[in-house]
Amino acid sequence: MKRQNHHKTWAVASIATLALASCTTPEPADTRPNILFIMSDDHAYQAISAYSNHLIETPQIDRIASEGMLFTNACVTNSICAPSRATILTGKHTHIHGKIDNMMPFDTSNVTFPRILQHEGYQTAMFGKLHFGNSPAGFDEFMILPDQGDYYNPEFITNRGDTTIMGYVTDIITDLTLNWLDKGRKKDKPFLLMYLHKAPHREWIPAERHYTEFTQKTFPEPETLFDNYEGRGTAAKTAEMNLLKHMTVSADNKIYPEVAQSLNIKEPSNWGTNVFNNKYKRFTPEQKAAWDAVYGPINEQFREAYPNMSDEDYMRWKYQRYMQDYLACIAAVDENVGRVLDYLDANGLSENTIVVYTSDQGFYLGEHGWFDKRFIYDESFKTPLMIRWPNRIHAGTTSDEMVQNLDFAQTFLEAAGIIPTDDMQGESLMPLLEGKADQWTRDAVYYHYYEYPAIHMVKRHYGIVTRDYKLAHFYYDVDEWELYDRKKDPQELNNVVDDPTYADIVADLKEKLEGLRVQYKDSVGLDQKYLDIYRTRGIIK
Ligand code: SGN
Ligand code: CA
C-alpha cells in the first residue's frame, strides 16, 4: 500500500518533468537546486560561535548562518546517532523506520529522500560517517566509515571495494568530497552531496596541527558542572555519563594506561584502556612522535598533580582535558567546511546550492556534569542547524521555530519540486526559509528515546516539548514523569510535575502528548516486523 502511494507520487512528478521536456527543444537546463548536507557527529550548538563564542570561534561554519538562516530551536526526535540519521533520510520517527537504537542494521527497504532524488534525476553521493551497519541505498557513489570509524588512517567502505586512507579523518572526508565535486560531478545534473563528519565524536582525537594550541587553553566551566541531580527523577541520577565517574582517564583524557596504573586510578571498566591502546596502535611512527611530543608532557604533569587532587580538582581537570580535545576536533571541522564553501564560491555553485550544517544530535559539554547525549533535556535534544540558499533565503536571518531532523526529507523534496510520499511525518521548512513564518503551525514536538539498557544507561523515555514546557515519561524499569518550566528554569534543574500549581498544565500536556502519539502512530507501538526483531534481541519484553 505504502509503496503504491509512493510510486504514484513519483509518477506524478515524472509526468510533470516529461511534459516540460516535450514542449521545449532543446531540453531546458535543469535548474533544480543542489543540496550539500553537512553533518558532524555530536557537535554541540554550545560549540558554534554563531550560537555562542564562549568556547570556540567557528568562522567557517558561521558563514552558513550569516549568509543564510540560523535555527535557534532545532531538535531531534531521538537523541542518538543512527536513529537520527535514519530519521533524516526517511522523514519518519524512529518507531516507524525501525532504527530505534544504534544496534540494529538499518532496514534499507525504507524509502529515503536520496532514493527519491536519485530516481528523479539527481546525482547523489555520500562521504563520511553513516553508522548503519550496511551500505546506503540511493547513492551513485559513497565512501563511508565502517561503524564509528577511526580518527587516524581510517578505513572506508565504498561501492568499489574497501580501502584505508592515511591521514586525519576530517581532512580525508573533505578531500573525498572536494574530489567528487571536482571530478565526479556531472555538470548537467543537480546533486545531493552528503558530507558527514565523524568528528567531534568520542574519543575526541584532534588533528596534529591543533594539539599544541588547544592543550594550552583553559575553558569556562558550565554552571552545572557539579550538578548533584537533586530535583529530578531517577534517570538523571542513574545515567552513566558523568565526567568524574564515567569518563575514562585513558581513552577520553589521553593518559597513558601505564601512567593511570602507576597512580592506582580505577577506570570505570577495561574499555578505556583497550580503546586507548587500539587507537594509539593505529598511529604511524611519525604520528606517534607528534602525539607523544604534546601529550607526553601532559601525562607527566598529571602524574605529579594527581596525588594532591581533590575530587573537585579532578573533575575540573577532566573537564579541561575533555574540552581541549573536543574543541580541537571542531577546529578541524570548521577549517574543512571552509574549504568546501570556498570551492562552491570559486565554481559559481553557491547561489543555487542549499547548504545545511547540522549535527546528528546535541551534546553535553560538562553541563549537569555530563558528556554524551540521549536525554530529552536541552543540550542533547536541541541540535545546531543553519541553512544557506542565496536564491531563496535572506542572509543573516534567524528562526526560533521548533523544527526537527524529521523535517529535512520533505524540505529537500519540496525544494526539488518533488511531492513527498504521504507517509512522511515532518513538515517542509520551505515556508520558514522563504520568510513566511505565519504559515508554520507546529507548536509542539514529540520525542522518544529507546536505547536502554545500554552504554551510558539513560532510561527510556518519551515526551512532548512546547516553547514553554517539557513533559517526559521515563518508563521500562521506572514509571516517572518530569515537567520542566522552560522559561523559569532553562537549565532544567527542577522537576515540577508534582507541584500543584502546574496541575492544569500537566493535564493539558498529557492530553497533547497522547494526541502526538496517535498522530505519529506511536500509541500502537512498533511495526510488527520490528517488534519481532526487538523481542528476539531482548530489547522489549
Ligand atoms: C560509542 C561511544 C559512546 C557513545 C556511543 C554512541 N563510546 O559507544 O560514548 O554514546 O558510541 O554514539 S566510544 O568512545 O567508543 O566512541 S553515537 O553518536 O554513535 O550515537
Ligand atoms: Ca552522534
Side-chain angles (χ1 to χ4, degrees):
M1 185 61 186
K2 276 181 193 163
R3 280 199 70 82
Q4 262 177 11
N5 281 341
H6 163 65
H7 275 140
K8 198 175 76 198
T9 310
W10 283 11
V12 170
S14 307
I15 289 162
T17 318
L18 272 179
L20 197 71
S22 60
C23 59
T24 37
T25 349
E27 245 182 65
D30 194 335
T31 56
R32 292 178 296 175
N34 304 308
I35 300 162
L36 169 61
F37 185 82
I38 313 174
M39 185 159 75
S40 44
D41 192 346
D42 294 356
H43 192 170
Y45 54 85
Q46 308 91 295
I48 296 183
S49 46
Y51 289 97
S52 163
N53 67 353
H54 71 290
L55 291 172
I56 190 170
E57 295 291 342
T58 50
Q60 304 302 330
I61 294 170
D62 292 2
R63 277 164 70 183
I64 303 168
S66 63
E67 295 164 12
M69 183 173 276
L70 179 74
F71 288 84
T72 56
N73 269 311
C75 63
V76 295
T77 67
N78 180 357
S79 181
I80 183 85
C81 184
S84 167
R85 288 158 201 269
T87 289
I88 289 168
L89 293 176
T90 59
K92 292 173 186 168
H93 274 277
T94 60
H95 60 279
I96 301 288
H97 59 61
K99 186 118 187 74
I100 58 169
D101 64 25
N102 271 342
M103 278 90 85
M104 286 259 297
F106 177 63
D107 176 351
T108 48
S109 69
N110 272 295
V111 173
T112 62
F113 83 82
R115 284 180 60 196
I116 300 178
L117 287 180
Q118 185 187 47
H119 180 270
E120 293 299 325
Y122 269 68
Q123 193 186 2
T124 55
M126 176 187 280
F127 300 102
K129 179 171 170 184
L130 179 62
H131 199 195
F132 273 3
N134 49 29
S135 294
F139 289 89
D140 303 329
E141 182 160 347
F142 63 83
M143 290 184 81
I144 55 170
L145 299 164
D147 192 34
Q148 296 283 7
D150 276 296
Y151 273 104
Y152 276 84
N153 315 322
E155 285 156 35
F156 284 88
I157 298 167
T158 89
N159 42 354
R160 279 175 271 127
D162 301 351
T163 181
T164 297
I165 305 180
M166 300 306 284
Y168 184 64
V169 72
T170 306
D171 301 337
I172 296 170
I173 292 170
T174 309
D175 293 344
L176 296 173
T177 299
L178 287 171
N179 186 53
W180 183 85
L181 275 171
D182 213 38
K183 304 206 173 65
R185 185 169 71 91
K186 297 193 178 107
K187 303 219 160 71
D188 59 338
K189 278 185 161 207
F191 65 78
L192 162 71
L193 175 55
M194 300 194 81
Y195 164 45
L196 309 172
H197 284 295
K198 167 188 171 60
H201 191 272
R202 194 182 185 191
E203 58 290 340
W204 320 298
I205 306 183
E208 268 174 46
R209 62 183 179 281
H210 295 125
Y211 289 170
T212 306
E213 179 192 344
F214 278 83
T215 52
Q216 287 173 357
K217 289 190 181 202
T218 305
F219 297 95
E221 290 170 4
E223 280 173 38
T224 56
L225 183 63
F226 294 98
D227 194 342
N228 60 9
Y229 314 114
E230 290 306 318
R232 272 140 297 162
T234 313
K237 298 187 179 84
T238 54
E240 297 182 357
M241 40 197 250
N242 181 274
L243 269 68
L244 184 66
K245 294 194 195 136
H246 309 109
M247 182 175 267
T248 68
V249 74
S250 49
D252 294 323
N253 296 142
K254 321 299 186 326
I255 293 303
Y256 300 111
E258 55 276 20
V259 174
Q261 270 152 28
S262 75
L263 294 167
N264 278 322
I265 298 179
K266 275 226 161 34
E267 287 280 44
S269 68
N270 289 338
W271 173 91
T273 309
N274 294 339
V275 170
F276 181 96
N277 289 334
N278 289 337
K279 301 296 158 177
Y280 191 72
K281 260 192 257 159
R282 295 192 68 81
F283 286 149
T284 62
E286 294 76 25
Q287 289 166 347
K288 268 188 189 145
W291 177 269
D292 292 340
V294 178
Y295 287 86
I298 291 174
N299 272 262
E300 286 320 310
Q301 284 159 17
F302 181 70
R303 201 199 287 273
E304 295 253 307
Y306 179 76
N308 299 317
M309 279 184 190
S310 64
D311 273 1
E312 205 177 294
D313 298 334
Y314 190 33
M315 179 72 155
R316 296 206 145 104
W317 176 88
K318 276 178 162 286
Y319 170 75
Q320 293 301 334
R321 281 276 48 259
Y322 169 32
M323 281 302 93
Q324 289 165 355
D325 294 336
Y326 177 90
L327 295 168
C329 288
I330 287 169
V333 171
D334 192 60
E335 290 167 359
N336 278 290
V337 166
R339 290 172 66 205
V340 176
L341 296 180
D342 288 348
Y343 182 93
L344 298 184
D345 284 348
N347 291 276
L349 288 168
S350 292
E351 284 299 304
N352 201 31
T353 298
I354 300 172
V355 179
V356 173
Y357 188 88
T358 191
S359 170
D360 58 346
Q361 12 62 211
F363 212 66
Y364 293 93
L365 303 184
E367 298 90 354
H368 305 293
W370 285 335
F371 62 106
D372 215 68
K373 54 256 179 178
R374 298 160 195 271
F375 275 109
I376 195 173
Y377 308 139
D378 267 9
E379 289 82 357
S380 41
F381 163 74
K382 285 172 63 172
T383 196
L385 175 62
M386 52 197 84
I387 308 182
R388 185 184 83 172
W389 185 11
N391 272 354
R392 297 286 187 92
I393 305 172
H394 283 300
T397 45
T398 302
S399 171
D400 65 0
E401 296 296 343
M402 288 196 295
V403 302
Q404 284 192 294
N405 58 347
L406 187 66
D407 301 327
F408 286 123
Q410 277 149 272
T411 305
F412 297 144
L413 292 176
E414 187 182 340
I418 299 164
I419 303 159
T421 59
D422 54 14
D423 56 354
M424 285 187 178
Q425 297 182 311
E427 300 281 337
S428 165
L429 302 178
M430 285 303 296
L432 297 178
L433 299 178
E434 296 188 310
K436 299 173 198 152
D438 52 322
Q439 291 177 13
W440 185 260
T441 54
R442 181 189 288 152
D443 61 0
V445 298
Y446 181 63
Y447 183 90
H448 197 156
Y449 171 81
Y450 299 82
E451 195 177 286
Y452 177 89
I455 186 168
H456 301 301
M457 295 301 276
V458 173
K459 291 188 191 293
R460 293 178 196 196
H461 58 292
Y462 60 88
I464 179 173
V465 183
T466 65
R467 277 178 190 269
D468 294 343
Y469 299 103
K470 188 176 285 183
L471 178 78
H473 181 213
F474 291 83
Y475 69 99
Y476 187 69
D477 55 0
V478 286
D479 178 6
E480 294 179 8
W481 288 85
E482 296 185 14
L483 174 73
Y484 295 95
D485 184 328
R486 303 184 78 199
K487 292 267 155 63
K488 286 199 189 139
D489 177 25
Q491 307 213 70
E492 301 166 310
L493 296 172
N494 300 301
N495 171 16
V496 289
V497 79
D498 293 325
D499 179 336
T501 50
Y502 288 92
D504 290 349
I505 287 160
V506 171
D508 180 48
L509 284 170
K510 280 193 177 170
E511 199 183 312
K512 282 206 173 85
L513 174 59
E514 219 23 65
L516 288 181
R517 283 167 71 77
V518 171
Q519 177 190 335
Y520 293 125
K521 301 189 167 65
D522 199 12
S523 53
V524 287
L526 286 170
D527 194 306
Q528 190 59 42
K529 73 176 167 180
Y530 300 125
L531 273 177
D532 293 342
I533 301 172
Y534 292 127
R535 249 182 227 120
T536 318
R537 286 180 46 208
I539 286 190
I540 52 174
K541 284 169 197 157

